[in-house]
Amino acid sequence: MAHRPKRTFRQRAADSSDSDGAEESPAEPGAPREVAAPGSAEEGPPSGGGRAPVAGRPHRVRGPSGRGRVWASSRRAKEAAPRENEGLGVQSDAGKKGESRVFDMSTDEEDEIHHSSESKDDQGLSSDSSSSLGEKELSSTVKIPDAAFIQAARRKRELARAQDDYISLDVEHTSTVSGMKKESEDDPESEPDDHEKRIPFTLKPQTFRQRMAEESISRNEETSEESQEDEKQDIWERQQMRKAVKIIEERDIDLSHRSGSSKVKKFDTSISFTPVNLEIIKKQLNTRLTLLQETHRSHLREYEKYVQDVKSSKSTIQNLESSSNQALSCKFYKSMKMYVENLIDCLNEKIINIQEIESSMHALLLKQAMTFMKRRQDELKHESTYLQQLSRKDETSTSGNLALDEKTQWILEEVESRRTKRRQARMLSGNCNHQEGTSSDDELPSAEMIDFQKSQGDILQKQKKVFEDVHDDFCNIQNILLKFQQWREKFPDSYYEAFISLCIPKLLNPLIRVQLIDWNPLKLDSTGLKEMPWFKSVEEFMDSSVEDSKKESSSDKKILSTIINKTIIPRLTDFVEFLWDPLSTSQTTSLITHCRVILEEHSICENEVSKSKQDLLKSIVSRMKKAVEDDVFIPLYPKSAVENKTSPHSKFQERQFWSGLKLFHNILLWNGLLTDDTLQELGLGKLLNRYLIIALLNATPGPDVVKKCNQIAACLPEKWFENSTMRTSIPQLENFIQFLLQSAHRLSRSEFRNKVEEIILILVKIKALNQAESFIGEHHLDHLKSLI
């Protein structure tokens, strides 16, 4: 099928009649005839400029090559005939006026003829017939001067130019220059010099008549183009219709021919067939029979398979129809699925709020703990500096008093004020055996305490509002576990196959964390894990599991331990790393209580608890090491400064010793949770041998030293000395045993001989039996042998 021609709206090239009209065309009746000079050339479509009469417009001067550039168009070609007629009128007038006018007219006619020939060269689409007709009309209308006349005119013009010695700018001279174009092509020697040539820079102006003629021509061309496009469109449509009809007819003829050929088939006698005998026919029949039998057998197998499928489908349908619980189970599973999805959506929405509240409470407690720690370190630093300055007499003022800055003075007054309040409180309670330095010193000013309580109250109010808009079935742990308990009772197989025991700890994690926001394991009055509502609910869920052979190995028995490992132990680890103060006996005792419940009673699955448990124990050891390095400081002063028990140096040294002994006691409280090697390294190696023994060696032997040694021995775990076959103590206590023997030697020669018996008892307690027997035999203390 032919393509439809595209409509174009560009200016089409001039027809052959227009090209011919560029040479000559009949003028309108009654219009004067003029000889037109070549107009200024332009590229592309005509701009509407025309040729002026010879007398009024100067002609374009040729370039150095002897041929000017001309852009012909249909608009200018149609103006050629009137201008030539106007040129005839000019010629007749020139005959009356004189020879000069005739000379100018003949030159213009020559230029006009030359211009027409150039226009014909540029328009290669004009026909031969129209061109010959234009030449006949031109020859009958225009009188062409002969060569002699043109040569004479040229000589006359050159003579006039030589006399004037310049190129006149008069309009009359321009026509002579145009008349020389034809001759200059034939005679290169007569070509004018460069200074005699005129270079056109602008288009020549047109007359009003020329502009009107061009506008009318353009309108006629546009109308003719549209009509031609419409005709082409109609022709194209008729061609397409004829092609379509022809294709349909050919198809019908082809179909009829095929039907006729199929009905009548002629036998071609030239075809030769292979010879056929009985064996070949029999062989082919057997082959065909074999194929049919194989096909039949395959069909039988498929048939049997389909029969079995039908039977199984019928039995399944009967089973489903006879089973009335299937609909109920399907309904239960759908409801359970919707419940779990809604529960997960609820928890995902609330978990962000829960995390924010947890962070707020943790930040509040951390700020308080850092306040206590920084205050204790600052007070220790300022008090130690004050005592060092006090021991240097050259740094005192003239009045004998030590000059202190305001900050140090204020800190010392605050410390003494708190000590006085604690001392008064102990006297009221009847506790007279308290040693200075064993207090935790965790009192806050009343204003700071009020701010702390207010912030804590605001956080607890937010905690209560977390699940304020949630139904109990989605925020109450007991109700949630009841849903899963119903599943376990009704469909135990699907319950265990779905590994619900692994999903329950994850579902309960946000709900348990909300209950733990107000839980502080560092307080003695904190709620124990076994008393928490979630703990009781989980225990009830575990105890209500199915009583069958799977009970001991049931995965539901691991739910509580999984919750502790995934939720409780990480929270305890945060408290140990950031909030626990190992110097506080109350915090250490409470923390140990919770850790024993978690690590000993509920470590059923060692593989699961291993990592979280190890992380917790590592954080405990790391925190105690940091406390030994940062918080233990026992200064050594001259004996003259500490002999007086009421002196500031003696009091400060005593407080620091008992503070170190308190940390030693707190470290050894972890016996049973931490390994013996870890405790012996921390308590005996880093604290007893490095700080406490050195302070005892600097002290004067007496009842106070024996009392301190008894306190050290009382802190040692009895489990270390349970072996009845032990005759020597553990290696880390060797320095302590040597100090005991040295103190016993001094006391045996002093007024405190009765204290030697206490030292022997300490040696026996720590299983230093060989050293005790040697000392008794050396000092002939036979009455003390019964102690061993």
Side-chain angles (χ1 to χ4, degrees):
M1 186 175 181
H3 294 283
R4 179 177 179 177
K6 296 182 179 180
R7 291 179 178 268
T8 56
F9 299 95
R10 61 182 178 82
Q11 185 69 30
R12 295 183 298 168
D15 296 337
S16 59
S17 60
D18 295 337
S19 300
D20 296 338
E23 283 185 27
E24 180 180 359
S25 62
E28 297 179 0
R33 295 182 176 271
E34 297 177 358
V35 178
S40 62
E42 65 180 6
E43 209 168 310
S47 62
R51 299 181 181 86
V54 176
R57 302 289 182 186
H59 293 280
R60 183 186 294 271
V61 182
R62 294 180 184 271
S65 61
R67 180 179 177 86
R69 298 181 63 187
V70 178
W71 288 270
S73 65
S74 59
R75 294 184 181 179
R76 296 190 179 185
K78 292 183 180 181
E79 295 176 2
R83 291 170 185 164
E84 290 175 358
N85 294 334
E86 291 174 2
L88 292 176
V90 173
Q91 184 179 6
S92 61
D93 294 338
K96 296 178 182 181
K97 292 181 181 180
E99 184 179 354
S100 62
R101 295 285 290 181
V102 175
F103 169 75
D104 293 337
M105 186 63 222
S106 62
T107 307
D108 292 339
E109 287 173 350
E110 181 184 358
D111 272 345
E112 184 66 30
I113 294 168
H114 181 70
H115 175 70
S116 299
S117 63
E118 289 181 347
S119 300
K120 284 200 256 183
D121 293 337
D122 294 336
Q123 298 177 355
L125 299 177
S126 60
S127 62
D128 296 336
S129 60
S130 59
S131 299
S132 61
L133 180 59
E135 291 176 358
K136 289 178 182 179
E137 293 179 355
L138 181 61
S139 61
S140 61
T141 308
V142 182
K143 183 179 179 181
I144 300 175
D146 54 359
F149 182 80
I150 294 173
Q151 189 66 25
R154 184 181 291 111
R155 284 196 298 270
K156 184 178 180 180
R157 184 173 66 251
E158 290 177 355
L159 182 60
R161 185 184 294 124
Q163 292 176 358
D164 294 338
D165 197 18
Y166 66 93
I167 300 175
S168 177
L169 298 177
D170 194 1
V171 179
E172 295 179 357
H173 292 281
T174 60
S175 60
T176 60
V177 175
S178 300
M180 294 175 61
K181 290 182 180 179
K182 182 68 177 177
E183 186 64 23
S184 62
E185 293 180 358
D186 301 331
D187 189 5
E189 296 178 357
S190 63
E191 186 175 339
D193 297 334
D194 292 341
H195 67 276
E196 296 177 356
K197 298 176 183 178
R198 174 169 297 179
I199 301 174
F201 293 99
T202 58
L203 298 176
K204 294 182 179 180
Q206 294 177 326
T207 61
F208 177 74
R209 183 180 299 170
Q210 292 172 342
R211 288 195 299 271
M212 291 297 290
E214 288 190 356
E215 290 177 1
S216 62
I217 291 170
S218 63
R219 285 194 295 271
N220 293 336
E221 288 180 352
E222 292 175 359
T223 305
S224 63
E225 288 178 1
E226 293 178 359
S227 62
Q228 289 178 2
E229 290 291 337
D230 294 337
E231 290 177 0
K232 289 182 179 179
Q233 179 69 17
D234 296 339
I235 293 171
W236 181 82
E237 291 177 355
R238 288 196 296 271
Q239 289 176 353
Q240 299 306 316
M241 292 296 292
R242 285 197 298 270
K243 289 180 180 180
V245 173
K246 185 177 179 181
I247 290 171
I248 294 172
E249 292 176 354
E250 289 178 354
R251 185 170 55 188
D252 294 340
I253 293 171
D254 188 24
L255 291 175
S256 62
H257 177 70
R258 290 183 180 179
S259 62
S261 62
S262 61
K263 291 179 181 179
V264 181
K265 291 185 178 179
K266 294 181 180 182
F267 180 75
D268 190 1
T269 59
S270 62
I271 299 175
S272 61
F273 296 96
T274 58
V276 178
N277 53 21
L278 185 59
E279 294 295 332
I280 294 175
I281 294 173
K282 184 178 179 181
K283 183 178 180 181
Q284 292 180 354
L285 289 175
N286 288 333
T287 304
R288 178 64 176 169
L289 180 60
T290 304
L291 293 175
L292 291 175
Q293 288 176 352
E294 292 179 357
T295 305
H296 178 67
R297 285 193 295 269
S298 64
H299 290 171
L300 287 177
R301 287 193 296 269
E302 292 180 359
Y303 173 75
E304 292 174 358
K305 180 182 177 182
Y306 294 150
V307 170
Q308 292 296 329
D309 292 342
V310 170
K311 289 181 181 180
S312 62
S313 300
K314 288 181 179 180
S315 62
T316 304
I317 292 172
Q318 291 176 0
N319 294 333
L320 292 176
E321 289 177 352
S322 62
S323 177
S324 60
N325 295 330
Q326 295 296 329
L328 296 176
S329 63
C330 181
K331 183 178 180 180
F332 175 79
Y333 287 139
K334 286 184 178 180
S335 63
M336 199 67 191
K337 177 177 179 295
M338 294 178 60
Y339 174 77
V340 172
E341 289 178 351
N342 294 331
L343 176 62
I344 293 174
D345 292 340
C346 174
L347 297 178
N348 287 335
E349 183 179 349
K350 298 295 183 180
I351 190 65
I352 299 176
N353 194 13
I354 294 173
Q355 291 175 351
E356 292 178 355
I357 297 174
E358 281 182 337
S359 300
S360 300
M361 180 62 76
H362 183 76
L364 182 64
L365 296 177
L366 179 62
K367 181 181 178 182
Q368 185 186 45
M370 296 303 294
T371 300
F372 290 146
M373 187 177 301
K374 186 175 184 303
R375 186 180 69 181
R376 181 174 62 221
Q377 292 177 354
D378 290 344
E379 291 174 353
L380 179 63
K381 178 181 177 181
H382 285 83
E383 191 170 3
S384 175
T385 303
Y386 165 72
L387 292 176
Q388 288 179 359
Q389 293 177 358
L390 190 62
S391 62
R392 301 172 186 173
K393 295 181 180 180
D394 56 339
E395 293 183 3
T396 57
S397 59
T398 55
S399 61
N401 295 326
L402 185 65
L404 299 175
D405 58 281
E406 295 181 359
K407 183 178 180 180
T408 303
Q409 186 69 26
W410 178 80
I411 289 176
L412 294 177
E413 291 176 357
E414 286 290 324
V415 172
E416 190 61 30
S417 175
R418 290 197 303 275
R419 288 173 185 163
T420 303
K421 291 180 181 180
R422 288 195 297 271
R423 197 177 297 116
Q424 293 175 356
R426 287 193 297 270
M427 290 178 63
L428 293 175
S429 62
N431 185 10
C432 300
N433 296 326
H434 182 79
Q435 298 293 334
E436 291 287 343
T438 57
S439 299
S440 298
D441 195 14
D442 53 358
E443 298 89 356
L444 281 175
S446 58
E448 294 182 8
M449 181 61 67
I450 292 173
D451 292 340
F452 175 79
Q453 293 176 352
K454 181 177 181 302
S455 300
Q456 189 177 24
D458 295 340
I459 294 173
L460 296 179
Q461 287 297 324
K462 293 180 181 179
Q463 174 198 5
K464 295 178 181 179
K465 295 179 180 179
V466 172
F467 292 104
E468 189 178 23
D469 57 343
V470 179
H471 195 272
D472 288 343
D473 289 342
F474 299 95
C475 64
N476 190 302
I477 295 178
Q478 187 174 2
N479 294 347
I480 294 173
L481 293 176
L482 184 61
K483 291 282 186 181
F484 290 99
Q485 183 177 348
Q486 293 175 358
W487 185 358
R488 185 176 60 189
E489 292 174 356
K490 291 181 179 180
F491 311 102
D493 293 338
S494 62
Y495 173 85
Y496 289 109
E497 289 175 359
F499 298 98
I500 301 302
S501 60
L502 300 179
C503 302
I504 289 177
K506 296 180 180 180
L507 291 175
L508 300 183
N509 177 269
L511 302 173
I512 295 174
R513 288 166 62 181
V514 172
Q515 297 185 20
L516 294 178
I517 289 176
D518 190 28
W519 180 61
N520 189 348
L522 302 179
K523 291 184 177 181
L524 290 174
D525 58 348
S526 62
T527 306
L529 292 177
K530 293 184 178 181
E531 286 75 27
M532 291 185 178
W534 67 266
F535 192 94
K536 296 179 180 179
S537 299
V538 173
E539 276 191 335
E540 292 176 1
F541 177 78
M542 293 170 54
D543 295 337
S544 63
S545 60
V546 181
E547 298 289 340
D548 55 9
S549 59
K550 297 181 180 180
K551 181 176 180 181
E552 296 300 328
S553 60
S554 176
S555 57
D556 288 348
K557 297 300 180 181
K558 302 177 183 179
I559 292 177
L560 185 58
S561 62
T562 304
I563 291 174
I564 291 174
N565 296 333
K566 301 296 183 182
T567 305
I568 307 302
I569 292 181
R571 185 166 180 82
L572 270 178
T573 304
D574 290 340
F575 273 94
V576 170
E577 289 181 355
F578 302 104
L579 304 176
W580 175 44
D581 182 12
L583 284 174
S584 174
T585 303
S586 61
Q587 291 186 11
T588 304
T589 305
S590 177
L591 183 62
I592 290 174
T593 302
H594 292 292
C595 288
R596 288 189 186 278
V597 173
I598 292 171
L599 299 179
E600 290 182 356
E601 297 185 14
H602 298 285
S603 296
I604 298 175
C605 185
E606 288 296 330
N607 293 331
E608 293 182 2
V609 77
S610 178
K611 185 178 184 305
S612 58
K613 178 182 178 180
Q614 294 301 324
D615 292 341
L616 175 61
L617 296 180
K618 286 180 181 179
S619 63
I620 292 171
V621 174
S622 176
R623 183 67 187 90
M624 289 192 297
K625 284 182 179 180
K626 188 174 185 301
V628 171
E629 294 172 358
D630 297 344
D631 297 328
V632 177
F633 173 69
I634 303 177
L636 298 178
Y637 297 113
K639 290 187 177 180
S640 59
V642 296
E643 285 179 353
N644 185 8
K645 299 299 180 180
T646 60
S647 65
H649 299 83
S650 178
K651 290 182 178 180
F652 180 71
Q653 189 182 52
E654 287 293 313
R655 284 196 301 268
Q656 292 304 115
F657 177 84
W658 286 107
S659 177
L661 184 59
K662 180 182 178 181
L663 179 60
F664 177 76
H665 170 260
N666 293 341
I667 290 175
L668 296 181
L669 286 177
W670 290 96
N671 177 44
L673 296 176
L674 299 177
T675 60
D676 293 342
D677 294 338
T678 303
L679 292 178
Q680 290 173 8
E681 180 186 357
L682 281 174
L684 304 181
K686 291 183 179 295
L687 185 55
L688 177 64
N689 296 330
R690 189 176 298 178
Y691 293 99
L692 300 180
I693 296 297
I694 294 176
L696 290 174
L697 291 173
N698 192 45
T700 303
D704 292 339
V705 173
V706 176
K707 182 179 180 180
K708 293 176 181 178
C709 292
N710 279 323
Q711 290 295 328
I712 293 173
C715 294
L716 298 175
E718 295 180 358
K719 187 180 71 171
W720 292 356
F721 313 104
E722 289 179 351
N723 190 358
S724 58
T725 60
M726 289 180 61
R727 302 293 296 176
T728 57
S729 185
I730 56 180
Q732 287 83 352
L733 290 176
E734 185 65 27
N735 293 333
F736 182 58
I737 294 172
Q738 293 299 326
F739 172 75
L740 290 175
L741 295 175
Q742 183 179 355
S743 299
H745 283 291
R746 293 182 180 181
L747 290 174
S748 63
R749 295 190 297 269
S750 67
E751 55 182 336
F752 303 106
R753 293 180 181 178
N754 56 345
K755 296 296 181 182
V756 174
E757 183 178 354
E758 295 183 14
I759 295 176
I760 298 298
L761 290 175
I762 294 174
L763 292 173
V764 172
K765 182 180 180 180
I766 62 177
K767 294 294 182 180
L769 301 179
N770 294 334
Q771 292 87 342
E773 289 179 354
S774 300
F775 180 80
I776 292 173
E778 182 181 353
H779 291 80
H780 306 286
L781 302 174
D782 297 335
H783 64 281
L784 296 178
K785 289 184 180 180
S786 60
L787 298 177
I788 303 176

